[in-house]
């Protein structure tokens, strides 16, 4: 380098030679400042795959059993297993820290529901997309609904800093110069939605999948309009990522999509939240405050006795009776868990209207249903099958599984069986089954409702117990 600098003092050196020397000097300095990517071989020797992800219901979270869960966690965990590596999930303090940490080389890639944008593509490499979403403008019921971007000047709009939403608004400002907004690097997307719900701000922008989940916790949230066409979510890699790692990740996601497994995973997390009933969601939250505290310890005790999650047991009870111990149906089922006389007798329950006895009987019967499901069927499908059997009877469930298999689908996947259960009410199908006619649409709605109630109960428990939210910079 000293020799190159000395060329500048040598009057005999021509201008062209000096320019070439300075160009070489710049290349040398640039290469010295650019960190070389970790090779795929080095990564495997390290034995650890480091992945950046925010802690949220849509990325990763700690479930009621203390296990890691969430769409991004499941995908990253599967990928790490395929590579024979241990997964380390690193959670930064803020959303923008995801990219700063990746730039600093603190992880191999980001798996946190990141939207592919033109600006980001100039700095990073993206995996093949694994989910489509739409960016939506959200407001609270009770204020005048904005019809388009021009209406936003009448309220306070806040979005996440360094997000695709900020980039979207910056592009819209070219068309609407009067458009104004605030950015926050302290809040999460869920916190911004809560701020809208509380009336602290008027609007925010979020992804459609996040909105669909959030409105079950905050029923008054409304979707005003979409900001543009659907967008794609993908993993984010540094621009100089090792080709081996990038190719392995791309192949992994492509194979998941081609096999149909990716859609099955997405359905597990999102299919049951697409339908929304405002009155039902509002009533549930009201009953959560007014009724559940009286019976929570009973759910916890019976769930512990039978090795179950109390949130699930409580969700079933809400679907059955809205947590009313004196509930009675026209068909004679009654109590918190709406047990039939025969079921109560089978479970040694003397008083179906006694909440503790009813909950205990329901838990024991669900455990019995779980025991009937073939061992090869794993959770969560195993649980959904048991709930369907609890509702419609195990025999009818088996009839639906047989139909599912005959129609060329997988009888061990709830996703496939739920599509065929309604056929049990059609003579063309039930006439060929062992157990005959059944209202097959009912267990589909039944399981879907319970899944939604369960999700909200878990989220409410997380909000009331900070330790369940995950820990900043925690590594697993």
């Amino acid at each position: 380098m000293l020799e190159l600098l000395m060329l500048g003092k040598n009057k005999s050196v021509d201008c062209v030679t000096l320019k070439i020397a300075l160009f070489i000097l710049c290349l040398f300095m640039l290469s010295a400042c650019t960190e070389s990517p970790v090779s795929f071989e080095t990564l495997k020797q390290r034995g650890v795959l480091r992945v950046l992800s925010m802690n949220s219901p849509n990325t990763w979270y700690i479930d009621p059993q203390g296990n890691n869960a969430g769409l991004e966690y499941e995908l990253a965990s599967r990928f790490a297993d395929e590579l024979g590596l241990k997964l380390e999930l690193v959670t930064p303090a803020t959303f923008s820290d995801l990219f700063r940490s990746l730039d600093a080389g603190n992880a191999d890639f980001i798996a946190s529901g990141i939207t592919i944008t033109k600006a980001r593509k100039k700095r990073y490499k993206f995996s093949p997309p694994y989910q489509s979403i739409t960016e939506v403008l959200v407001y609270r019921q009770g204020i005048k609904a904005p019809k388009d971007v021009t209406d936003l000047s009448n309220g306070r709009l806040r979005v996440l800093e360094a997000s695709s939403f900020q980039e979207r608004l910056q592009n819209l400002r070219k068309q609407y110069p009067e458009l104004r907004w605030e950015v926050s690097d302290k809040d999460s997307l869920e916190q911004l939605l809560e701020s809208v719900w509380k009336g602290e701000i008027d609007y925010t922008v979020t992804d459609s999948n996040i909105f669909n989940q959030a409105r079950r916790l905050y029923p008054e949230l409304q979707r005003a309009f979409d900001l543009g066409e659907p967008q794609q979510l993908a993993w984010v890699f540094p621009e100089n990522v090792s080709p081996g790692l990038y190719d392995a990740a791309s192949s992994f996601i492509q194979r998941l999509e081609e096999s149909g497994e990716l859609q099955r995973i997405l359905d597990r997390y999102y299919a049951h939240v697409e339908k929304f009933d405002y009155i039902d969601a509002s009533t549930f939250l009201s009953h959560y405050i007014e009724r559940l505290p009286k019976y929570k310890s009973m759910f916890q005790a019976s769930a512990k006795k039978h090795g179950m999650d109390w949130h699930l047991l409580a969700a079933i009870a809400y679907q059955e009776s809205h947590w009313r111990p004196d509930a009675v149906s026209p068909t004679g089922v009654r109590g918190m868990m709406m047990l039939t006389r025969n079921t109560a007798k089978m479970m040694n329950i003397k008083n179906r209207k006694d909440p503790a006895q009813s909950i205990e009987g329901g838990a024991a019967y669900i455990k019995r249903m779980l025991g009937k499901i073939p061992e090869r069927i794993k959770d969560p499908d195993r649980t959904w099958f048991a709930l369907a059997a609890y509702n419609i009877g195990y025999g009818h469930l088996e009839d639906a599984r047989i139909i599912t298999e005959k129609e060329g689908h997988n009888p061990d996947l709830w996703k496939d069986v739920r599509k065929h259960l309604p056929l049990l009410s059609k003579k063309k199908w039930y006439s060929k089954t062992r157990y005959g006619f059944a209202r097959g649409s009912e267990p589909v709605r039944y399981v879907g409702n319970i899944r939604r109630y369960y999700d909200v109960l878990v989220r409410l428990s997380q909000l009331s117990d900070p330790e369940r939210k995950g820990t900043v910079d925690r590594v697993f």
Side-chain angles (χ1 to χ4, degrees):
M1 185 183 295
L2 180 60
E3 291 176 355
L4 289 172
L5 292 174
M6 290 300 293
L7 287 173
K9 296 183 179 181
N10 188 339
K11 302 299 184 181
S12 64
V13 177
D14 60 41
C15 183
V16 174
T17 303
L18 180 58
K19 287 182 178 179
I20 294 174
L22 289 174
F23 178 70
I24 293 172
L25 174 61
C26 290
L27 288 178
F28 175 80
M29 294 178 67
L30 181 62
S31 63
C33 295
T34 304
E35 185 178 349
S36 299
V38 175
S39 70
F40 199 36
E41 291 69 25
T42 301
L43 177 64
K44 289 194 170 184
Q45 289 175 4
R46 187 175 72 190
V48 172
L49 183 68
R50 298 191 180 106
V51 178
L52 285 155
S53 188
M54 297 302 293
N55 173 222
S56 81
N58 294 276
T59 52
W60 78 265
Y61 57 90
I62 300 173
D63 70 16
Q65 288 74 43
N67 301 316
N68 294 311
L71 174 63
E72 296 291 355
Y73 173 79
E74 180 169 345
L75 292 176
S77 180
R78 286 182 178 219
F79 181 49
D81 288 344
E82 185 174 287
L83 297 179
L85 302 175
K86 175 185 177 183
L87 176 64
E88 286 188 358
L89 205 58
V90 183
T91 306
T94 66
F95 182 82
S96 57
D97 282 341
L98 285 170
F99 295 93
R100 284 192 282 265
S101 294
L102 186 67
D103 293 340
N106 295 334
D108 300 304
F109 63 91
I110 302 173
S112 197
I114 304 298
T115 304
I116 302 173
T117 68
K118 290 182 179 179
R120 287 172 176 168
K121 287 175 74 174
K122 293 178 181 178
R123 296 187 57 191
Y124 304 98
K125 290 191 72 172
F126 286 87
S127 70
Y130 53 83
Q131 188 176 9
S132 294
I133 53 86
T134 304
E135 295 175 339
V136 299
L137 192 287
V138 181
Y139 71 103
R140 192 188 195 282
Q141 179 179 306
I143 71 170
K144 185 178 180 180
K147 296 181 179 179
D148 54 40
V149 175
T150 59
D151 290 338
L152 301 183
S153 58
N154 299 322
R156 189 177 176 188
L157 169 63
R158 184 184 297 166
V159 298
L160 203 62
E161 186 177 3
S163 65
S164 61
F165 316 128
Q166 185 179 4
E167 185 178 331
R168 170 77 69 178
L169 294 175
Q170 288 169 343
N171 291 330
L172 284 172
R173 182 180 277 172
K174 298 173 184 177
Q175 184 178 357
Y176 305 97
E178 71 283 0
L179 181 60
R180 297 289 182 271
W181 65 88
E182 306 168 8
V183 296
S184 173
D185 199 24
K186 296 181 180 179
D187 298 315
S188 65
L189 285 174
E190 289 74 22
Q191 288 170 322
L192 288 176
L193 289 166
E194 183 180 1
S195 293
V196 173
W197 180 73
K198 289 180 176 179
E200 297 171 348
I201 57 177
D202 297 293
Y203 316 115
T204 192
V205 181
T206 192
D207 291 336
S208 52
N209 59 331
I210 296 175
F211 169 75
N212 287 340
Q213 286 193 333
R215 64 180 173 172
R216 305 197 175 278
L217 198 59
Y218 308 113
E220 290 74 20
L221 292 180
Q222 297 290 316
R223 179 174 179 164
F225 52 83
D226 298 346
L227 293 174
E229 297 299 316
Q231 304 294 305
Q232 305 293 319
L233 305 185
W235 288 346
V236 188
F237 295 83
E239 193 173 28
N240 61 351
V241 59
S242 163
L245 175 61
Y246 181 78
D247 291 345
S250 298
S251 176
F252 168 74
I253 292 175
Q254 288 169 348
R255 280 185 280 106
L256 278 183
E257 183 173 14
E258 291 169 0
S259 68
E261 181 64 13
L262 178 59
Q263 189 58 51
R264 287 192 285 271
I265 294 171
L266 291 172
D267 281 349
R268 283 212 310 271
Y269 287 98
Y270 296 110
H272 64 290
V273 301
E274 292 177 356
K275 295 182 180 179
F276 178 72
D277 184 324
Y278 169 75
I279 295 176
D280 181 64
S282 301
T283 303
F284 176 81
L285 292 174
S286 175
H287 290 166
Y288 171 82
I289 296 171
E290 298 169 1
R291 297 179 181 177
L292 182 60
K294 303 174 188 176
Y295 312 111
K296 182 176 178 179
S297 61
M298 298 178 190
F299 288 122
Q300 291 174 326
S302 287
K304 183 177 181 180
K305 177 179 177 180
H306 295 281
M308 299 175 61
D309 179 354
W310 79 264
H311 300 88
L312 178 63
L313 192 57
I316 297 168
Y318 188 80
Q319 170 63 23
E320 292 287 355
S321 69
H322 283 201
W323 296 324
R324 291 183 295 117
D326 58 350
V328 180
S329 84
T331 58
V333 295
R334 62 181 59 201
M336 182 75 77
M337 302 295 289
M338 297 297 275
L339 303 177
T340 65
R341 191 182 301 276
N342 288 339
T343 300
K345 184 177 180 180
M346 188 187 308
M347 299 296 110
N348 295 316
I349 300 303
K350 305 298 183 184
N351 184 359
R352 288 183 286 167
K353 288 191 175 183
D354 179 271
Q357 289 190 48
S358 183
I359 292 169
E360 172 60 23
Y365 192 67
I366 293 166
K367 190 75 172 181
R368 182 187 179 95
M369 291 298 103
L370 280 166
K372 289 189 173 186
I373 307 300
E375 291 185 4
R376 66 177 180 276
I377 301 176
K378 306 301 179 184
D379 270 327
D381 295 85
R382 185 181 186 83
T383 297
W384 309 147
F385 281 132
L387 294 181
Y390 184 92
N391 173 259
I392 200 174
Y394 185 77
H396 290 305
L397 174 66
E398 281 298 286
D399 283 344
R401 292 182 63 230
I402 291 171
I403 292 174
T404 301
E405 187 172 27
K406 287 181 178 179
E407 288 299 293
H409 297 278
N410 192 337
D412 293 348
L413 290 177
W414 173 247
K415 173 179 176 291
D416 290 350
V417 174
R418 73 181 180 194
K419 295 177 181 177
H420 294 86
L421 269 163
L423 298 178
L424 295 179
S425 64
K426 299 180 183 297
K427 188 174 182 179
K428 173 184 175 181
W429 297 95
Y430 75 70
S431 61
K432 301 174 184 178
T433 64
R434 179 178 179 182
Y435 292 93
F437 171 86
R439 294 184 177 87
S441 296
E442 289 186 4
V444 177
R445 290 193 296 270
Y446 181 84
V447 174
N449 288 342
I450 290 172
R451 291 177 67 179
R452 289 189 284 272
Y453 299 143
Y454 172 78
D455 285 349
V456 176
L457 284 173
V458 170
R459 185 61 178 152
L460 289 169
S461 289
Q462 291 171 333
L463 291 173
S464 63
D465 182 2
E467 290 185 3
R468 286 198 179 276
K469 294 183 185 180
T471 305
V472 171
D473 293 329
R474 185 170 181 176
V475 178
F476 298 90

